[in-house]
Amino acid sequence: MQMKSLSLYELNSLVSQVLAIDLPDEYWVEAELAEAREVRGHCYMDLVEKDDMSNTPIARASARCWASRWALLRPMFERVTGQRLHAGMKVMLKVKAQFHAAYGFSWIVSDINPEFTMGDLMRRRQEIIRQLKADGVFDLQRGLSLSPFAKNIAIVSSSGAAGYGDFCRQLHDNAQGFAFRVELFAATMQGEAVESSVIAALNRIYPRVEEFDCVVIIRGGGATSDLSGFDTLALAENVANFPLPIITGIGHDRDESVLDMVANTRVKTPTAAAQLLIDNLSRTSMLIDNLRQRILLCTQQRMQHEQLRFKAVAERIPVLFSLVNVKQQARIDQLSRQIMSGVSRHIDAQRQKLDGLKANIGNAIARCMAAEQHRLALLVQRIEAENPERLLRRGYSITTYEGHAVRDASLLPKGAEVETRVELGSFKSRVE
């Protein structure tokens, strides 16, 4: 018996009819976007639901919004949320089941609830802010002060962005003629690559922080719906911990991003960021001018005061000199009298001393002569007592050998000729 079969088209058509009968209504569904893309005006979405504990997908589905409907839903969604659909976004969609014989099953989107997405974005933003405050970094940038002489600027922006061009023109065409040095650190400023690209730019600036006074992150020219990249924890932490003041001007006025909240200063547009730097130097210039004027005024006042003082002193000098001259002359006269009196007393004293010395010198000489004569007599007596002639007269003799007196006969050599002196004459003899 031959088995009856269905073609794939017939089977798919049957499934389509069953779904149309059993699921005729539309349903609101909450899901996360794994992917969202536009093709020829249609929006194709991949939906996913993840486990809260493991973040593992537990359900997947495809959804489509046809161009005729998407042309109405997209502007409304982006106007309310300030963002376009992107991966990772939580959405609430109104969908109806459809099984197409040629293309298979998908959910057809007829409506989208932007308030749900706004609530999710707000929850995520509040969680990031809470984490930053818990880590103690939320207000770190506000503790930094922009240098009053800030002229070396590091720019984080897309090189082709209109906002970057506007910033440079505003900065360099300032009316005061201030000269700024600007260096661009290129980064992607819209889409999913914003976080990693801006962090990479900051990492390139960090080794050169001594060369710059501040960092300016500007966007401008992009869609207001591409701001999700500025609401991330990693980017906020990098900005909050950066050692230079960071100024943001990413071109949106509806509300602040997390990046704006942690930055040192937030302005609306790139041109406003440039004007802030110009105004900063203008205030410094005005302060210097004011101080210069104050210094000049104080100097002039001090010079006038000193001139008056000098004039008054000059007028008093003749009188003062006369008084001083009289006083000093009297003092000189008094000192002269004291000197003359002192010299006279000293001369009298020395004269009396000299007279005393004259009276004493004769007696001293006489006593000295007598003492020396007595000493001389004693010396004569001693010399006379030691005279060899006296000894010879008393019967003693003196024997000499080679001109020297002989004291030890054993020291004379055999055959030596010696001479002996007696009172009356001398004689020679030889040693045997």
Side-chain angles (χ1 to χ4, degrees):
M1 178 179 177
Q2 186 176 5
M3 296 180 64
K4 185 178 181 180
S5 62
L6 299 173
S7 68
L8 178 59
Y9 179 81
E10 290 174 335
L11 179 61
N12 286 351
S13 296
L14 181 59
V15 172
S16 177
Q17 293 173 12
V18 172
L19 286 175
I21 294 171
D22 291 344
L23 295 173
D25 300 324
E26 293 182 320
Y27 305 92
W28 283 103
V29 61
E30 299 174 10
E32 179 181 325
L33 291 176
E35 184 180 0
R37 62 192 183 281
E38 290 187 24
V39 180
R40 294 189 294 275
H42 308 300
C43 182
Y44 295 87
M45 295 170 254
D46 290 336
L47 307 179
V48 65
E49 181 179 352
K50 298 178 181 178
D51 182 74
D52 293 335
M53 300 299 294
S54 63
N55 206 35
T56 302
I58 57 175
R60 290 181 179 274
S62 297
R64 302 175 185 178
C65 187
W66 304 121
S68 58
R69 189 61 183 163
W70 183 238
L72 300 175
L73 295 180
R74 175 184 173 181
M76 178 271 296
F77 180 82
E78 293 180 357
R79 183 177 63 256
V80 174
T81 64
Q83 300 191 49
R84 64 174 58 180
L85 290 180
H86 60 81
M89 178 179 284
K90 295 289 185 64
V91 292
M92 179 183 286
L93 306 174
K94 191 176 186 179
V95 297
K96 182 177 181 179
Q98 182 185 76
F99 192 93
H100 193 278
Y103 303 108
F105 177 82
S106 66
W107 294 103
I108 305 301
V109 178
S110 61
D111 201 357
I112 187 170
N113 183 358
E115 283 76 14
F116 173 83
T117 302
M118 280 291 293
D120 180 69
L121 293 174
M122 187 59 66
R123 285 190 298 273
R124 289 177 56 191
R125 177 179 294 183
Q126 291 302 320
E127 177 59 25
I128 292 173
I129 294 172
R130 187 200 63 77
Q131 184 64 47
L132 293 171
K133 290 182 176 180
D135 294 341
V137 300
F138 187 79
D139 294 315
L140 284 182
Q141 271 283 313
R142 290 176 179 82
L144 303 177
S145 298
L146 180 65
S147 169
F149 301 95
K151 299 176 69 175
N152 301 302
I153 317 300
I155 308 297
V156 178
S157 182
S158 172
S159 58
Y164 172 62
D166 294 340
F167 175 86
C168 291
R169 282 190 295 273
Q170 180 83 2
L171 204 62
H172 292 104
D173 296 341
N174 65 88
Q176 293 85 350
F178 298 135
F180 291 89
R181 184 180 74 86
V182 174
E183 183 173 344
L184 174 66
F185 293 82
T188 300
M189 301 306 288
Q190 61 182 12
E192 298 180 13
V194 168
E195 177 188 87
S196 59
S197 185
V198 173
I199 290 175
L202 293 175
N203 288 338
R204 294 197 301 275
I205 298 171
Y206 184 79
R208 300 172 56 191
V209 291
E210 298 297 330
E211 301 178 27
F212 301 102
D213 298 308
C214 66
V215 177
V216 178
I217 301 177
I218 51 177
R219 180 174 172 267
T224 58
S225 57
D226 287 332
L227 299 174
S228 60
F230 300 101
D231 282 330
T232 70
L233 179 61
L235 179 56
E237 287 177 336
N238 274 267
V239 169
N241 286 285
F242 206 74
L244 291 177
I246 293 182
I247 301 169
T248 59
I250 53 181
H252 65 106
D253 189 32
R254 197 180 60 81
D255 60 357
E256 288 184 308
S257 66
V258 175
L259 177 65
D260 292 321
M261 295 178 185
V262 298
N264 179 272
T265 306
R266 178 247 180 170
V267 293
K268 297 178 182 179
T269 62
T271 53
Q275 191 60 47
L276 182 145
L277 295 170
I278 295 170
D279 292 343
N280 180 61
L281 275 187
S282 294
R283 287 191 298 272
T284 303
S285 178
M286 290 177 61
L287 177 61
I288 292 173
D289 288 340
N290 290 337
L291 292 174
R292 185 186 297 115
Q293 293 298 324
R294 289 176 60 185
I295 292 172
L296 179 61
L297 180 61
C298 290
T299 303
Q300 291 174 344
Q301 291 175 346
R302 185 58 183 266
M303 289 183 65
Q304 292 174 356
H305 173 75
E306 292 300 324
Q307 286 175 349
L308 293 173
R309 181 170 170 269
F310 179 77
K311 183 178 179 181
V313 171
E315 292 174 349
R316 293 176 59 192
I317 284 176
V319 177
L320 293 173
F321 179 78
S322 177
L323 294 173
V324 171
N325 187 42
V326 171
K327 183 178 180 180
Q328 293 300 319
Q329 188 62 48
R331 185 168 178 268
I332 291 172
D333 292 342
Q334 182 183 3
L335 289 174
S336 296
R337 289 192 297 271
Q338 291 177 352
I339 290 171
M340 293 301 295
S341 176
V343 169
S344 179
R345 288 194 302 272
H346 184 70
I347 290 174
D348 291 342
Q350 294 301 316
R351 184 178 288 114
Q352 292 177 1
K353 184 178 180 181
L354 184 60
D355 291 341
L357 290 175
K358 285 181 179 180
N360 295 328
I361 194 168
N363 296 330
I365 291 174
R367 288 194 299 272
C368 184
M369 288 291 293
E372 291 300 320
Q373 287 176 353
H374 178 69
R375 179 170 173 271
L376 182 61
L378 294 175
L379 290 174
V380 170
Q381 292 177 1
R382 289 180 62 184
I383 292 172
E384 183 61 26
E386 298 294 330
N387 189 349
E389 295 296 334
R390 184 179 179 184
L391 294 175
L392 292 176
R393 286 194 299 268
R394 292 175 62 185
Y396 291 97
S397 64
I398 300 175
T399 301
T400 62
Y401 174 67
E402 294 181 349
H404 299 286
V406 176
R407 295 179 182 277
D408 187 354
S410 63
L411 296 177
L412 294 172
K414 186 176 181 180
E417 185 177 85
V418 298
E419 182 178 359
T420 302
R421 287 183 61 195
V422 294
E423 179 182 2
L424 298 175
S426 63
F427 61 87
K428 293 183 180 180
S429 57
R430 188 177 302 276
V431 178
E432 292 296 334

